[in-house]
Amino acid sequence: MDAGPVTEGGQFGLDVDGGAHGPVVAVTGEIDLHSAPALRDRLAEIIDGEAAHVTVDLSDTTFLDSMALGVLLGAKKRLATSGGELDLVVSNPGIRRIFEITMLDSVFTIHSDRAAADTTGGR
């Protein structure tokens, strides 16, 4: 896992591996004002590498703020312009609630675990 900025609540990390339908970006720790740019840059690098489908696994994410939501929305929009898709894996009920409160659960395809994301491939 690539270590990133240390946030107030702990270490932020990114790990990228292959999934059934494209790259999977697993995020550990807090995605906030300090760490969101690292996620944005990594997603941009993957998208620029012509990935058509990207999954962001937030299973080990402990916190995300509006900056993180903006990064995810930006990546989704960027992929959509080329016909690509961005899916999320959200197993933490607290993190899932953030997507529900902001009504972003209707914007993103959200899976409860990585196996479900691999099985459906965004559908």
Side-chain angles (χ1 to χ4, degrees), residues 72-115:
L72 294 171
L73 281 167
K76 180 172 180 61
K77 181 178 178 181
R78 195 168 176 180
L79 273 164
T81 60
S82 61
E85 297 179 49
L86 179 98
D87 286 358
L88 303 177
V89 175
V90 182
S91 58
N92 179 325
I95 300 295
R96 176 92 184 206
R97 184 77 178 126
I98 292 169
F99 287 94
E100 292 168 353
I101 289 170
T102 58
M103 296 191 291
L104 291 174
D105 60 330
S106 64
V107 173
F108 290 102
T109 301
I110 300 177
H111 305 279
S112 57
D113 56 43
R114 196 180 291 193

Side-chain angles (χ1 to χ4, degrees), residues 1-7 10-17 24-31 35 37-39 41-43 45-46:
M1 186 160 294
D2 299 327
V6 175
T7 62
Q11 185 70 33
F12 166 82
L14 293 172
D15 186 30
V16 180
D17 59 26
V24 177
V25 180
V27 184
T28 303
E30 297 184 354
I31 313 171
S35 58
L39 176 60
D41 293 346
R42 190 66 177 115
L43 288 171
E45 180 181 304
I46 291 167

Side-chain angles (χ1 to χ4, degrees), residues 51-75:
H53 187 269
V54 178
T55 301
V56 178
D57 186 348
L58 301 174
S59 298
D60 293 324
T61 301
T62 56
F63 173 83
L64 53 88
D65 64 9
S66 60
M67 181 83 161
L69 295 174
V71 165
L72 294 171
L73 281 167

